[in-house]
């Protein structure tokens, strides 16, 4: 993977830029998501370079201070309702503006997949699904249902999106946390795939 056609500089230069803005643990995670995204792209006949780059950059803004997200919301005149949420929503939906500023990425498909990688959408492209699922199942992840999630991802991307969304909604509900409206839209759009054999 070089990613030069999307950025104009080498993967090595990009890795240095990414590593500079996150903790070693987070850097390890994004490398894992890059790898999982490439695997899912191969499995689903999608462009591996595009998927790998989206996976590598999906958490680029994850460790930004809250104030920086609030400033970006103002600067780009994004929906002020976004200010009511927090990092889990912001690092994708607002983080894409930081990625464009810092890295010069302009590819709309990649930016969209990063934008919705935590909340999903009722209308997801193959790349959107790949990044959403790769983030959940990458090899560094360790939670009770991760092995089952990996098996589901080998069968079907749609089913994997459904599986992940159901368990995300359940997790948030158990903790009595608010659920971003777009996540509920994702749930409603994809839950039917869990009933398919």
């Amino acid at each position: 993977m070089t990613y030069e056609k999307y950025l104009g500089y080498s993967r090595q230069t990009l890795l240095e830029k990414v590593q500079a803005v996150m903790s070693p643990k987070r850097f390890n995670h994004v490398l894992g998501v890059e790898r999982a995204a490439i695997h899912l792209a191969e499995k689903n006949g999608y462009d591996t370079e595009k998927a790998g780059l989206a996976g590598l950059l999906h958490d680029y803004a994850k460790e930004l201070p809250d104030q920086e997200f609030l400033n970006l919301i103002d600067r780009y005149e994004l929906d002020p309702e976004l200010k009511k949420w927090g990092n889990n929503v912001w690092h994708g939906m607002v983080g894409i503006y930081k990625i464009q500023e810092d890295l010069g990425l302009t590819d709309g498909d990649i930016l969209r997949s990063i934008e919705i990688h935590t909340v999903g959408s009722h209308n997801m492209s193959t790349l959107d699904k790949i990044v959403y699922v790769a983030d959940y199942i990458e090899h560094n992840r360790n939670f009770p249902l991760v092995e089952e999630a990996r098996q589901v991802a080998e069968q079907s991307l749609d089913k994997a999106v459904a599986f992940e969304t159901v368990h995300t909604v359940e997790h948030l509900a158990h903790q009595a946390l608010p659920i971003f409206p777009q996540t509920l839209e994702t749930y409603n759009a994809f839950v039917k795939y869990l009933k398919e054999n």
Side-chain angles (χ1 to χ4, degrees), residues 5 13 22 24-26 39 43 62 70 76 82 84 86 88 91 94 97 106 108 113 119 135 149-150 158 163:
K5 72 177 174 190
T13 302
M22 60 184 65
K25 186 177 179 196
R26 177 74 39 197
H39 169 72
K43 192 155 188 51
K62 180 76 177 165
L70 295 170
Y76 289 95
L82 275 171
K84 294 179 180 170
N88 274 348
H91 80 274
V94 184
Y97 296 94
T106 58
S113 70
V119 296
D135 184 25
R150 288 175 181 139
D158 287 328
F163 183 92

Side-chain angles (χ1 to χ4, degrees), residues 5-17:
K5 72 177 174 190
Y6 295 105
L7 296 166
Y9 46 85
S10 70
R11 179 175 185 271
Q12 192 47 49
T13 302
L14 177 61
L15 287 176
E16 288 162 15
K17 289 174 185 280

Side-chain angles (χ1 to χ4, degrees), residues 97-146:
Y97 296 94
K98 182 71 173 160
I99 289 170
Q100 290 170 81
E101 286 181 3
D102 289 6
L103 305 176
L105 180 68
T106 58
D107 185 279
D109 297 337
I110 295 174
L111 289 166
R112 165 76 178 164
S113 70
I114 295 168
E115 179 185 10
I116 64 167
H117 83 268
T118 62
V119 296
S121 167
H122 67 280
N123 179 20
M124 292 170 84
S125 70
T126 301
L127 180 59
D128 297 340
K129 294 171 194 173
I130 285 170
V131 178
Y132 188 79
V133 173
D135 184 25
Y136 197 66
I137 64 163
E138 63 95 2
H139 70 276
N140 298 299
R141 291 285 199 201
N142 183 17
F143 55 90
L145 290 166
V146 74

Side-chain angles (χ1 to χ4, degrees), residues 150-173:
R150 288 175 181 139
Q151 286 165 17
V152 172
E154 290 298 310
Q155 297 163 28
S156 151
L157 270 181
D158 287 328
K159 202 176 259 195
V161 168
F163 183 92
E164 174 180 340
T165 308
V166 164
H167 292 289
T168 299
V169 167
E170 191 178 34
H171 174 73
L172 293 168

Side-chain angles (χ1 to χ4, degrees), residues 2 6 40 57-58 60 67 86 90 92 95 103 114 128 139 146-147 149-150 171 187 192 194 197:
T2 64
Y6 295 105
L40 290 172
L57 293 181
H58 81 286
Y60 180 81
Q67 190 55 52
W90 293 339
L103 305 176
I114 295 168
D128 297 340
H139 70 276
V146 74
E147 281 308 324
R150 288 175 181 139
H171 174 73
Y187 173 88
K192 63 184 182 224
L194 287 182
N197 292 325

